[in-house]
């Protein structure tokens, strides 16, 4: 019970009344392993302690107090305890606890079995009094129970005629020789358990005390050695706390499945070598969002029977529902809102505008990036298994729209105080337990107050959505833009409505006291969509302009400046070309920082905090830094960035010190028991494990839940992880981490084939005057084959309109310009050029289009 103000005297050492128990001195060399979790109740939570029939318990003032109903016959008629406690036969254990009761009575502490036949290892009976006492007692286990098995430590409070309240604290059970699962070193040979691309580096990390090189052997699925070599000792690795070797088998490029790597007698999980290893992850990672949809049934047709469930939170009992949701009492709004739909944030049933915003943005940006500098065909209609598939709209847009429409509903309606702002979040009034399917949630739902951060999230995403749906659904596009502009004005009028950082009952707080980044992001999205000078001034006048907030920690829901930069770097505007180059440079400079750091690490992951610790959702940050590496490749085409981005996948898919694939369903040892109220197989075998494609939050040095705190104390940063459903601070899933994974997974799928060298180059020259310009474009065929017909494409940065073109058939749609050859200039030999040109009206400053393509391939 450290860090608590409460102090009290511990007056007595409890008498050991249990007869016939062998009392042993602790085994000489036994490690001091703590076997109970959350024994000091410092987390303020009961979990993973439980109360049985006849008792109800809670943590009050740092003690675990159980109200006990009297009138029971046996001690075990009223229980509290903890399951999953490990015991080893023949090992010594020391149990300590403090206890007191409102009324004096005997209680028992019982080490034993959680299930029938409820065998006992040891039972001690003590008398608890109003005066707190401290009890200590040592016993030897006669039974074996693995960690998270059927071992139990229980307190028996029954057998009394009267009601009572009994409080325990500082419960500790120390003994055994097997390390607790959290700190047990993982199997030493760590690889990307899914696989490697033939042409990319193939490296593994190996924990081994040897200071000299170790021989390694790569074996194929039949067990035959296909390559061998010597490891490179890397020394003590800070992230894992282990002595690490690197193995590099990049030279082996033969496509195959079921390879294993053996180093010093230890063998890796199996993996493949193939250009296709990662191609389907882009769809599994996007499927996550359909699973998380609120307000609609999740149909077996799309997810399989195992994951199907009824619609959640539609005001159908026992749900109180997301229609007519009132505000939290005392925050100054007396209306109700209809806010059904959207995505559940994570393992909980909250829906948060701050976090929903970055998630929807990133899914949309995955698509917009593909449109601008990548290949959007893989993200077309019919690619995902969702109800909208086949409607003629890219599925990824349909999925994102589910969230965008929810965000729009969170806007304060006209006529109300703070109209135009957005409520920070909507969630349950009280936290619910696990498991609990959304449609079974009985909690009242409530809105938090509008906040500036949420309002700007809405403005940014709605502005981005407006341009992406401009031609697909003009009415929706206009509705989104109107909401975005209204939100931005409301945020400007209320620039410091900061969400209450302590509003964390029943849902996450998502407190964010700095909104400079959200202002910049929203202004950037609005400027790119509208070209309006006011937004432009807010972008160029921001202290964050030109990539100032891009750094090696990365971006996330609380730090969104980079989102504005990414949009500005991808979508042509009238901003000076030098400024866009500066944003791209900030991205590549940061990517260089990641590569330099990864080169020093035993298990390379691009993410750096000042003190080397890992934080909640570290995998989300790692993935977003993978996005930075990927963009650096998009902008420079330098191979080192492509290798870095794939290196991120290696870490996430198993080349890490816990030897887990952090993506469910992917790899030989993927996470299964993520913190989720539906995918709760660990708690209820009739429920499923996580479906393929969900990214666990990953290592978190701060161990902010009782399970992690109990099992992982003292962990090196990259090992602060356990695949346990109640370990929510290390093993939750959430929409913003999956949007990062999905973005990166789409990119790695796209870049799984080596890009041919650019097959064209373009020289663009223009003369401009007040209201127009005249441009000449020289296209050069830099490929080895002749063009027999060509199509040139580029986009204007502003509201330019083609007036007249020559030497090609010219057309314009929105800002996109297309020119196709005329009969006489369609054939262009390798190395030859063709010159075309046009005149255009140009109301604002005209900039050079950033990207040209010929016949679908981007030119230099
Ligand atoms: O992702 C959030 C992380 O950055 C915070 O440190 C943490 C504690 O405030 O909360 C995380 O967000 C959780 C949210 O509050 C509730 N839904 C689940 C989210 C992921 O764990």
């Amino acid at each position: 019970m450290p860090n608590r103000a409460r102090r009290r005297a511990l007056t007595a050492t409890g008498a050991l009344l249990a007869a016939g128990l062998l009392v042993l001195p602790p085994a000489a060399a036994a490690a001091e392993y703590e076997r109970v979790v959350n024994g000091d109740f410092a987390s303020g939570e009961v979990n993973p302690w439980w109360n049985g029939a006849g008792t109800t318990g809670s943590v009050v003032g740092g003690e675990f107090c159980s109200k006990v109903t009297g009138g029971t016959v046996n001690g075990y008629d009223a229980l509290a305890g903890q399951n999953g406690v490990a015991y080893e036969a023949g090992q010594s254990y020391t149990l300590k606890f403090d206890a007191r009761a409102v009324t004096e009575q005997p209680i028992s502490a019982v080490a034993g079995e959680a299930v029938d036949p409820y065998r006992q290892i040891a039972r001690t009976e003590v008398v608890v009094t109003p005066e707190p006492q401290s009890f200590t007692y040592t016993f030897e286990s006669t039974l074996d129970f693995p960690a998270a098995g059927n071992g139990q430590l229980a307190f028996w409070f029954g057998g009394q005629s009267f009601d009572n309240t009994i409080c325990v604290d500082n419960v500790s059970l120390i003994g055994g020789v097997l390390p607790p699962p959290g700190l047990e070193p993982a199997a030493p040979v760590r690889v990307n358990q899914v696989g490697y691309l033939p042409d990319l580096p193939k490296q593994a990390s190996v924990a081994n005390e040897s200071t000299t090189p170790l021989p390694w052997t790569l074996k194929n699925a039949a067990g035959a050695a296909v390559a061998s070599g010597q490891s490179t000792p890397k020394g003590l690795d800070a992230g894992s706390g282990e002595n690490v070797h690197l193995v590099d088998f990049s030279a082996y490029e033969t496509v195959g499945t079921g390879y294993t790597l053996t180093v010093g007698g230890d063998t890796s999980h199996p993996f493949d070598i193939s250009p296709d290893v990662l191609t389907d992850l882009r769809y599994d990672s996007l499927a996550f969002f359909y699973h998380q949809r609120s307000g609609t049934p999740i149909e077996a047709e799309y997810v399989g029977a195992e994951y199907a469930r009824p619609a959640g939170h539609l005001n159908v009992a026992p749900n109180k529902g997301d229609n007519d949701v009132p505000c939290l009492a005392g925050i100054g709004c007396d209306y109700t809102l209809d806010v059904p739909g959207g995505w559940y944030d994570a393992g909980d049933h909250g829906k948060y505008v701050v976090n929903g915003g970055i998630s929807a943005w990133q899914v949309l940006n995955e698509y917009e990036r593909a449109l601008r500098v990548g290949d959007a065909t893989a993200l077309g209609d019919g690619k995902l298994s969702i109800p909208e598939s086949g409607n003629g709209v890219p599925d990824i847009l349909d999925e994102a729209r589910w969230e965008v429409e929810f965000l729009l509903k969170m806007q304060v309606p006209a006529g109300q105080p703070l109209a135009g702002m957005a409520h920070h979040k909507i969630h349950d009034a009280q936290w619910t337990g696990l498991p609990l399917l959304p449609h079974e949630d009985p909690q009242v739902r409530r809105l938090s107050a509008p906040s500036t951060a949420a309002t700007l999230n809405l403005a940014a995403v709605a502005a981005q959505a407006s341009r992406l749906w401009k031609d697909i659904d003009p009415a929706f596009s206009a509705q989104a833009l109107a909401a975005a502009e209204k939100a931005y004005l409301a945020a400007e009028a209320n620039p410091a409505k900061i969400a209450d950082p302590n509003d964390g009952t029943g849902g996450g707080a998502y407190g964010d006291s700095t909104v400079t980044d959200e202002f910049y992001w929203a202004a950037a999205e609005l400027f790119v969509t509208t070209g309006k000078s006011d937004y432009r001034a807010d972008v160029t006048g921001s202290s964050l302009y030109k990539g100032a907030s891009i750094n090696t920690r990365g971006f996330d829901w609380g730090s969104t400046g980079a989102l504005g930069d990414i949009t500005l770097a991808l979508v042509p505007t009238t901003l000076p070309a030098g400024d866009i180059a500066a944003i791209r440079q900030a991205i590549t400079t940061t990517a260089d920082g990641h590569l330099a750091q990864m080169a020093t690490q035993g298990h390379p992951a691009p993410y750096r905090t000042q003190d080397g610790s890992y934080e909640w959702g570290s995998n989300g940050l790692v993935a977003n830094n993978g996005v930075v590496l990927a963009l650096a490749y998009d902008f420079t085409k330098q191979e080192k960035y492509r290798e870095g981005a794939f290196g991120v996948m290696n870490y996430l898919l198993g080349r890490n010190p816990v030897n887990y694939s952090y993506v469910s369903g992917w790899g030989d040892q993927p996470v299964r028991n993520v913190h989720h109220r539906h995918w709760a197989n660990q708690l209820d075998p009739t429920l499923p494990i996580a479906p393929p494609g969900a990214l666990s939050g990953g290592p978190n040095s701060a161990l902010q839940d009782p399970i992690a705190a109990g099992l992982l104390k003292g962990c090196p940063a990259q090992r602060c992880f356990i695949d346990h459903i109640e370990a929510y601070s290390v093993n939750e899933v959430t929409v913003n981490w999956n949007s990062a994974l999905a973005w990166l997974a789409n990119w790695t799928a796209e870049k799984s084939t080596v890009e041919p060298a650019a097959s064209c180059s373009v020289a663009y020259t223009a003369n401009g005057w007040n209201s127009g310009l005249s441009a000449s474009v020289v296209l050069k065929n830099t490929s080895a084959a002749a063009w027999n017909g060509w199509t040139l494409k580029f986009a204007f940065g502003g509201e330019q309109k083609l007036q007249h073109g020559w030497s090609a058939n010219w057309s314009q749609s929105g800002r996109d310009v297309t020119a196709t050859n005329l009969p006489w200039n369609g054939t262009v030999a390798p190395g030859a050029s063709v010159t075309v040109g046009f005149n255009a009206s140009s109301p604002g400053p005209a900039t050079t289009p950033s990207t040209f393509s010929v016949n679908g391939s981007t030119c230099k």
Side-chain angles (χ1 to χ4, degrees):
M1 214 223 31
N3 307 325
R4 295 268 157 176
R6 188 175 56 96
R7 290 277 180 276
R8 58 162 199 248
L10 299 177
T11 53
T13 293
L16 299 181
L17 301 181
L21 292 168
L22 189 61
V23 179
L24 289 179
E32 296 278 286
Y33 290 132
E34 178 59 73
R35 299 298 168 176
V36 296
V37 173
N38 193 26
D40 61 4
F41 306 98
S43 66
E45 291 187 38
V46 170
N47 176 28
W49 296 90
W50 45 258
N51 282 93
T55 72
T56 55
S58 59
V59 176
V60 187
E63 294 176 297
F64 174 31
C65 295
S66 300
K67 290 194 168 143
V68 182
T69 308
T72 56
V73 177
N74 306 297
Y76 51 76
D77 290 339
L79 296 171
Q82 177 169 138
N83 293 349
V85 178
Y87 295 104
E88 296 156 58
Q91 290 301 320
S92 169
Y93 292 83
T94 300
L95 172 67
K96 293 186 179 179
F97 60 96
D98 303 341
R100 67 183 177 92
V102 168
T103 307
E104 180 172 317
Q105 74 157 82
I107 67 169
S108 294
V110 185
E113 187 170 28
V115 294
D116 201 6
Y118 305 106
R119 289 170 293 169
Q120 287 183 20
I121 297 169
R123 174 159 78 94
T124 184
E125 189 174 288
V126 298
V127 175
V128 289
T129 62
E131 189 63 27
Q133 301 174 80
S134 179
F135 303 98
T136 302
Y137 139 74
T138 299
F139 61 91
E140 181 180 317
S141 180
T142 47
L143 299 174
D144 270 315
F145 292 109
N150 284 332
Q152 181 184 80
L153 178 69
F155 291 102
W156 293 4
F157 299 144
Q160 305 302 318
S161 58
F162 49 88
D163 293 354
N164 206 352
T165 296
I166 303 172
C167 301
V168 297
D169 195 2
N170 295 319
V171 187
S172 161
L173 178 71
I174 288 184
V177 292
L178 297 176
L183 290 182
E184 204 172 351
V189 184
R190 295 135 195 184
V191 296
N192 178 334
Q193 298 168 19
V194 176
Y196 297 84
L197 269 78
D199 75 305
L200 275 170
K202 297 168 210 74
Q203 283 153 348
S205 302
V206 182
N208 191 299
E209 287 304 318
S210 169
T211 54
T212 54
L214 296 161
W216 59 261
T217 309
L218 180 68
K219 294 179 184 159
N220 65 17
V226 293
S228 60
Q230 297 276 314
S231 72
T232 305
K234 243 345 231 174
L236 183 65
D237 168 49
S240 65
E242 297 169 317
N243 193 54
V244 172
H245 291 235
L246 298 188
V247 169
D248 193 327
F249 54 103
S250 305
Y252 187 79
E253 297 192 351
T254 308
V255 170
T257 59
Y259 289 104
T260 54
L261 182 69
T262 300
V263 189
D266 296 306
T267 296
S268 72
H269 289 284
F271 57 89
D272 298 348
I273 296 178
S274 156
D276 298 331
V277 275
L278 294 179
T279 45
D280 285 342
L281 183 54
R282 63 172 147 207
Y283 302 127
D284 277 0
S285 53
L286 283 173
F288 175 84
F289 296 94
Y290 177 63
H291 285 278
Q292 293 294 106
R293 284 192 195 183
S294 177
T296 189
I298 304 306
E299 307 278 6
E301 185 183 346
Y302 309 112
V303 292
E306 210 185 348
Y307 292 100
R309 60 169 173 81
H313 298 98
L314 281 183
N315 300 57
V316 176
N319 279 174
K320 302 291 190 294
D322 287 356
N323 288 306
D324 291 327
V325 179
C327 288
L328 181 64
I331 61 168
C333 57
D334 58 5
Y335 51 87
T336 62
L337 278 188
D338 290 343
V339 289
W343 298 319
Y344 296 120
D345 188 57
D348 63 320
H349 297 145
K351 303 190 298 191
Y352 311 88
V353 175
V354 167
N355 205 43
I358 185 173
S359 311
W361 176 89
Q362 196 159 30
V363 172
L364 291 175
N365 184 259
E366 173 182 335
Y367 180 72
E368 190 165 39
R369 176 219 151 260
L371 279 182
R372 294 291 168 187
V373 296
D375 171 14
T377 53
L379 297 174
D381 188 27
K383 299 292 184 184
L384 298 179
S385 183
I386 58 173
E388 298 81 1
S389 197
N391 67 356
V393 176
D395 289 344
I396 188 170
L397 293 184
D398 289 323
E399 189 55 67
R401 184 168 175 165
W402 191 262
E403 179 70 6
V404 176
E405 292 195 348
F406 160 73
L407 296 175
L408 298 180
K409 291 177 192 155
M410 291 292 277
Q411 192 160 32
V412 178
Q416 299 294 352
L418 302 176
M421 292 195 74
H423 287 271
H424 200 66
K425 52 184 188 154
I426 175 236
H427 58 71
D428 290 338
Q430 299 294 328
W431 284 108
T432 56
L434 281 67
L436 183 73
L437 269 67
H439 69 284
E440 290 169 342
D441 176 7
Q443 282 290 321
V444 169
R445 309 278 277 176
R446 84 318 173 279
L447 294 162
S448 290
S451 71
T452 309
T455 304
L456 292 166
N457 268 261
L458 189 154
V461 176
Q464 177 199 31
S466 171
R467 63 176 178 268
L468 288 168
W469 270 275
K470 190 162 181 247
D471 297 327
I472 297 173
D473 184 342
F476 177 59
S477 167
Q479 180 204 353
L481 185 57
E485 299 212 78
K486 198 190 293 173
Y488 193 77
L489 278 178
E492 283 187 310
N494 300 278
K497 291 260 179 251
I498 301 304
D500 176 0
N502 298 315
D503 180 12
T505 302
Y510 280 119
D512 184 0
S513 57
T514 307
V515 293
T516 321
D517 50 335
E518 280 81 9
F519 267 112
Y520 177 61
W521 171 33
E525 297 298 344
L526 279 158
F527 168 60
V528 169
T529 300
T530 66
K532 287 186 183 170
S533 57
D534 286 1
Y535 300 128
R536 180 190 171 105
D538 288 352
V539 170
T540 57
S542 167
S543 60
L544 303 187
Y545 186 42
K546 294 190 276 184
S549 66
I550 300 177
N551 60 43
T552 48
R553 174 187 169 269
F555 56 88
D556 65 1
W557 60 266
S559 175
T560 56
L563 312 187
D565 288 314
I566 292 172
T567 291
L568 293 172
L570 287 170
V571 189
T573 61
T574 56
L575 288 173
D579 289 6
I580 301 306
I583 295 175
R584 291 182 169 200
Q585 185 61 52
I587 290 171
T588 41
T589 302
T590 304
D592 286 331
H594 290 317
L595 294 178
Q597 185 212 12
M598 289 167 86
T600 69
Q601 290 177 298
H603 302 82
Y607 159 60
R608 203 174 330 162
T609 56
Q610 280 181 351
D611 61 1
S613 63
Y614 271 39
E615 68 201 277
W616 195 315
S618 66
N619 280 343
L621 288 152
V622 166
N624 276 335
N625 291 332
V627 167
V628 167
L629 285 159
L631 288 168
Y633 179 83
D634 282 342
F635 299 147
T636 66
K637 295 287 186 286
Q638 288 186 46
E639 186 59 18
K640 63 180 180 180
Y641 299 123
R642 175 171 172 255
E643 292 177 3
F646 277 88
V648 174
M649 282 300 192
N650 292 341
Y651 173 83
L652 295 176
L653 295 172
R655 188 188 174 194
N656 57 57
V658 295
N659 208 340
Y660 264 93
S661 164
Y662 288 121
V663 180
S664 55
W666 282 74
D668 201 44
Q669 179 167 274
V671 292
R672 297 165 51 92
N673 302 313
V674 300
H675 182 79
H676 198 276
R677 279 166 174 70
H678 179 190
W679 310 331
N681 177 270
Q682 189 181 356
L683 300 171
D684 177 347
T686 66
L687 292 173
I689 60 168
L695 177 65
S696 165
N700 172 9
S701 313
L703 307 178
Q704 286 146 290
D705 66 78
I707 295 288
L711 294 177
L712 300 170
K713 202 172 162 196
C715 48
Q718 286 185 334
R719 283 171 62 190
C720 297
F721 174 79
I722 185 163
D723 182 30
H724 190 297
I725 191 166
E726 300 282 13
Y728 53 82
S729 72
V730 302
N731 199 30
E732 191 157 2
V733 290
T734 186
V735 283
N736 60 313
W737 306 332
N738 246 78
S739 64
L741 176 70
W743 195 111
L744 188 62
N746 181 58
W747 191 92
T748 47
E750 188 187 297
K751 302 299 180 211
S752 284
T753 44
V754 194
E755 281 183 278
S759 57
C760 48
S761 68
V762 165
Y764 176 94
T765 43
N767 295 315
W769 54 91
N770 273 352
S771 57
L773 65 99
S774 178
S776 151
V777 189
V778 183
L779 316 181
K780 183 172 182 186
N781 179 356
T782 57
S783 77
W787 294 342
N788 295 313
W790 47 262
T791 301
L792 165 72
K793 286 184 190 254
F794 63 90
F796 282 135
E799 297 310 311
Q800 289 77 28
K801 291 274 171 297
L802 269 181
Q803 290 169 321
H804 166 68
W806 51 90
S807 302
N809 281 316
W810 291 87
S811 64
Q812 179 174 4
S813 163
R815 292 181 181 184
D816 296 323
V817 178
T818 304
T820 50
N821 64 280
L822 296 174
W824 54 268
N825 63 1
T827 304
V828 184
S833 298
V834 55
T835 302
V836 299
F838 64 88
N839 291 335
S841 66
S842 182
T847 53
T848 304
S850 53
T851 311
F852 295 88
S853 72
V854 170
N855 295 344
S857 126
T858 304
C859 304
K860 274 221 177 109

